């Protein structure tokens, strides 16, 4: 909720390892306590963060941060905070090594934030409607990848499908060649893919920010973030594969809402992929069995048409 006019607002965006970023709107009329305890205003489930780590409040014309005797301390733009310090400009805060972005906010800025979220949701629905099994499997896979890259605002990506033996094959890719896959710098991405595949859960990483040794190097972080997201493809509770996308552009991150929107797209895509696979298999069988009934083929066409009329639920 946006505070009435005249109140000081700020947004704290926390970059958690292997998870989407979490964003908190801070109201200057109240004191915000940051820590691991469930009764904190901003709960950060990370071992580097103390149970009661810091207090954020408005003191006169400016925001202020107070260290609540935390174990691992606080730093602003790499400078350690001794007891307390003013937050005079937007920048990076380290809570014991867990990095967060602090930004002064206004009602207009928050309204624009909400508008952009709504636009992303509408774009997701539009893209889902384009994922039709009748496109054929190859074209459908290309469109799934294109949609994921567009929606995640990334640069490159791949679709991986699971074989019967559990191994994954790259079946579609964009701006990602064989040389890229063999680079040592891609090893972290492979690890994220394996994590998403084994857990069945989305992995969202800004890997520079996930490094606990980056405390005090905010300028390096701001200039070289590498973000990635791996979204499992699951249909009727069965793993189908996953979609991977990444960006080497500074500032690319994935919020909780971003992940929910990407997961809604992936859910629709997974069902479309399964149906396109079945359609291709039936076509192959029909070519070998000339006496396959026209009625069966017609019923399957009706199933495909029904699926293409669905768009998925709003996250």
């Amino acid at each position: 909720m946006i505070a009435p006019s005249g109140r000081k607002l700020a947004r704290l965006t926390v970059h958690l390892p292997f998870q989407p970023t979490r964003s908190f709107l801070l109201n200057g009329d109240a004191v915000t306590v940051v820590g691991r305890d469930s009764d904190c205003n901003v709960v950060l489930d990370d071992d580097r963060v103390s149970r009661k780590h810091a207090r954020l409040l408005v003191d006169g014309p400016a925001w202020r941060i107070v260290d609540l005797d935390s174990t691992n301390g606080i730093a602003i733009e790499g400078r350690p905070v001794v007891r307390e310090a003013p937050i005079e400009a937007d920048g990076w805060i380290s809570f014991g090594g867990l990095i967060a972005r602090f930004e002064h906010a206004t009602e207009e800025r928050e309204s624009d934030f909400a508008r952009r979220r709504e636009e992303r949701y509408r774009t997701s629905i539009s893209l889902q409607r384009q994922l039709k099994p009748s496109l054929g499997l190859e074209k459908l896979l290309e469109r799934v990848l294109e949609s994921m890259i567009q929606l995640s605002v990334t640069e490159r990506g791949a679709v991986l499908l699971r074989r019967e033996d559990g191994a994954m094959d790259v079946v579609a890719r964009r701006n990602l060649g064989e040389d890229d896959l063999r680079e040592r710098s891609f090893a972290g991405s492979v690890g994220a893919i394996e994590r998403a595949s084994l857990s069945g859960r989305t992995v969202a990483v800004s890997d520079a920010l996930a490094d606990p040794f980056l405390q005090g190097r905010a300028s390096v972080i701001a200039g070289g973030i590498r973000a990635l997201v791996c979204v499992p493809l699951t249909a009727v509770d069965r793993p189908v594969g996953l979609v991977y996308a990444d960006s080497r552009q500074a500032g690319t991150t994935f919020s909780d809402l971003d992940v929910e929107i990407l997961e809604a797209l992936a859910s629709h895509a997974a069902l479309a992929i399964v149906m396109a696979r079945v359609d291709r298999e039936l076509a192959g069988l029909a070519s070998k069995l000339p006496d396959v009934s026209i009625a069966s083929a017609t019923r399957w066409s009706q199933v495909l048409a029904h699926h293409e009329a669905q768009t998925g639920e709003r996250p």
Side-chain angles (χ1 to χ4, degrees):
M1 175 181 287
I2 298 173
S5 178
R7 297 184 182 180
K8 285 187 177 296
L9 301 174
R11 185 164 287 279
L12 187 70
T13 303
V14 183
H15 297 265
L16 297 159
F18 295 102
Q19 298 177 47
T21 62
R22 297 189 62 198
S23 187
F24 302 89
L25 183 63
L26 312 181
N27 185 343
D29 281 358
V31 173
T32 298
V33 177
V34 179
R36 284 204 333 271
D37 269 0
S38 59
D39 60 348
C40 290
N41 306 103
V42 174
V43 179
L44 303 180
D45 187 14
D46 189 288
D47 290 341
R48 292 167 289 178
V49 178
S50 297
R51 295 186 182 279
K52 295 283 196 305
H53 199 105
R55 182 185 298 123
L56 288 160
L57 69 157
V58 170
D59 182 15
W63 283 86
R64 198 166 192 84
I65 190 166
V66 180
D67 191 336
L68 300 178
D69 296 323
S70 64
T71 300
N72 295 320
I74 301 168
I76 298 177
E77 295 292 334
R79 296 185 297 274
V81 170
V82 180
R83 298 191 64 180
E84 59 182 273
I87 307 176
E88 298 173 341
D90 295 355
W92 297 94
I93 299 176
S94 167
F95 296 97
L98 182 63
I99 303 296
R101 180 75 178 173
F102 181 93
E103 297 175 292
H104 292 80
T106 63
E107 291 188 28
E108 292 76 17
R109 192 169 180 175
E110 290 303 309
S111 294
D112 182 62
F113 181 73
R115 178 185 58 77
R116 285 186 281 113
R117 286 191 305 177
E118 182 66 21
E119 287 176 355
R120 288 173 71 81
Y121 164 71
R122 293 183 184 278
T123 299
S124 173
I125 294 300
S126 175
L127 292 173
Q128 287 182 46
R129 289 175 177 151
Q130 298 174 35
L131 302 181
K132 302 178 180 180
S134 59
L135 289 169
L137 186 58
E138 287 73 18
K139 190 171 183 180
L140 173 62
L141 292 170
E142 289 293 336
R143 187 161 293 181
V144 168
L145 181 55
E146 179 183 340
S147 299
M148 188 64 67
I149 289 175
Q150 177 182 342
L151 198 58
S152 61
V153 196
T154 50
E155 304 163 6
R156 59 184 192 172
V159 179
L160 296 86
L161 292 187
R162 186 182 296 271
R163 299 199 306 251
E164 289 185 4
D165 62 4
M168 304 276 273
D169 290 325
V170 177
V171 293
R173 59 190 176 192
R174 175 74 59 84
N175 299 328
L176 195 61
E178 291 291 342
D179 291 340
D180 294 311
L181 296 173
R182 285 193 290 264
E183 284 183 2
R184 291 184 64 186
S185 62
F186 197 69
S189 304
V190 173
I193 289 171
E194 290 175 346
R195 179 186 287 256
S197 178
L198 291 172
S199 68
R201 300 177 62 182
T202 297
V203 171
V205 177
S206 297
D207 57 358
L209 292 170
D211 188 331
F213 298 104
L214 284 175
Q215 179 179 350
R217 304 181 198 174
S219 61
V220 175
I221 295 170
I225 293 174
R226 182 171 178 214
L228 62 86
V229 63
C230 302
V231 187
L233 295 167
T234 305
V236 198
D237 296 326
R238 295 186 62 183
V240 175
L242 61 83
V243 186
Y244 167 88
D246 74 11
S247 175
R248 291 166 290 183
Q249 295 296 317
T252 303
T253 57
F254 302 103
S255 68
D256 289 340
L257 180 66
D258 292 331
V259 168
E260 288 180 12
I261 291 174
L262 294 174
E263 287 176 340
L265 180 74
S267 177
H268 190 86
L271 187 55
I273 289 169
V274 168
M275 298 180 77
R277 274 177 154 178
V278 172
D279 192 36
R280 186 171 67 176
E281 291 171 4
L282 286 176
L285 287 173
S287 66
K288 297 177 182 179
L289 302 171
D291 58 341
V292 170
S293 70
I294 296 176
S296 296
T298 300
R299 284 196 294 273
W300 178 246
S301 297
Q302 291 171 344
V303 171
L304 289 179
H306 173 74
H307 171 77
E308 291 177 3
Q310 308 305 307
T311 58
E313 296 297 324
R314 179 169 182 165

